[in-house]
Amino acid sequence: MADLPFPLDSSLASTLARALDVEGKIPRALDALGPIGGRDVVLVGGGEAETRRLSSLGGRLTNVDPYGGDDATGWLLPDGSADVVVASWSAFHGANRVELAEADRVLRANGRLLVVHDYGRDDVARLRGEPPEQLAWSRRDGPFLRAGFRIRVLHCFWTFDSLETARDFLRAAFGEVGGLVGSELKLFLGG
């Protein structure tokens, strides 16, 4: 189950999970767009941290495996059983017809499908390279805009306890390119 936009070994994943979106912009945006509070919410492929973040918003959460069903069984949820479907990083890498049909089936009338992805236009793209799907996501002829989705961009930050902790993490998680990106970091004192 995904809490992060890409797989890492457990100790590095734990470090990044603590550093990712400490400002809480992602859950606040999901609640503003959903909303989540007091509603029936299907979380697609949510990990422990993602489940905890969304639960804190007061929705009634059901977590489903994005790969757990097939075309015949889907998510094993009743038709029209959810007000909101949320997927963060683990599903909806494009406007996949099977995934969209399953979300449409479980959503009630006027339900919301909210998808969170790292769109790769920052230092993360330098670390991982830009996966091909990310190049198309924000294009007019890309899978989301062409299918009628609206895109909202949130600028979230990885926040570490110190510059050295950030550099150590980047080097351990991403090797040489992580070391290079880390060497270019500067201390930011918010305010």
Side-chain angles (χ1 to χ4, degrees):
M1 299 293 200
D3 280 324
L4 303 171
F6 42 82
L8 292 171
D9 77 42
S10 62
S11 66
L12 294 172
S14 174
T15 300
L16 185 55
R18 284 190 308 275
L20 180 69
D21 189 28
V22 298
E23 299 169 298
K25 287 182 179 181
I26 295 172
R28 283 196 319 267
L30 292 172
D31 195 34
L33 294 168
I36 304 294
R39 301 181 84 199
D40 295 316
V41 179
V42 173
L43 177 58
V44 182
E48 196 174 300
E50 181 71 10
T51 300
R52 191 172 43 255
R53 278 191 297 271
L54 285 182
S55 293
S56 73
L57 297 173
R60 294 174 296 279
L61 242 58
T62 302
N63 202 338
V64 297
D65 183 346
Y67 313 108
D70 58 30
D71 291 349
T73 60
W75 293 332
L76 301 177
L77 297 171
D79 294 358
S81 59
D83 300 303
V84 182
V85 172
V86 177
S88 296
W89 299 298
S90 59
F92 298 95
H93 285 274
N96 176 293
R97 289 180 188 182
V98 173
E99 288 177 320
L100 289 174
E102 190 61 6
D104 195 43
R105 182 185 69 76
V106 302
L107 281 169
R108 294 183 179 119
N110 298 315
R112 296 286 179 112
L113 171 60
L114 305 175
V115 179
V116 177
H117 282 295
D118 176 354
Y119 78 120
R121 300 280 195 260
D122 52 19
D123 285 334
V124 175
R126 290 179 55 207
L127 294 169
R128 302 179 48 224
E130 285 191 70
E133 71 269 12
Q134 288 181 346
L135 297 174
W137 284 349
S138 60
R139 294 178 49 92
R140 289 185 194 279
D141 60 347
F144 289 112
L145 293 175
R146 186 179 65 238
F149 282 82
R150 286 180 270 170
I151 295 177
R152 302 291 183 267
V153 176
L154 301 176
H155 295 278
C156 300
F157 304 94
W158 296 357
T159 305
F160 294 90
D161 292 334
S162 69
L163 195 53
E164 194 55 43
T165 301
R167 288 178 174 151
D168 289 347
F169 168 79
L170 292 170
R171 193 172 24 261
F174 300 101
E176 186 177 330
V177 70
L180 177 63
V181 169
S183 71
E184 298 170 358
L185 292 178
K186 294 177 177 45
L187 187 60
F188 172 74
L189 301 174

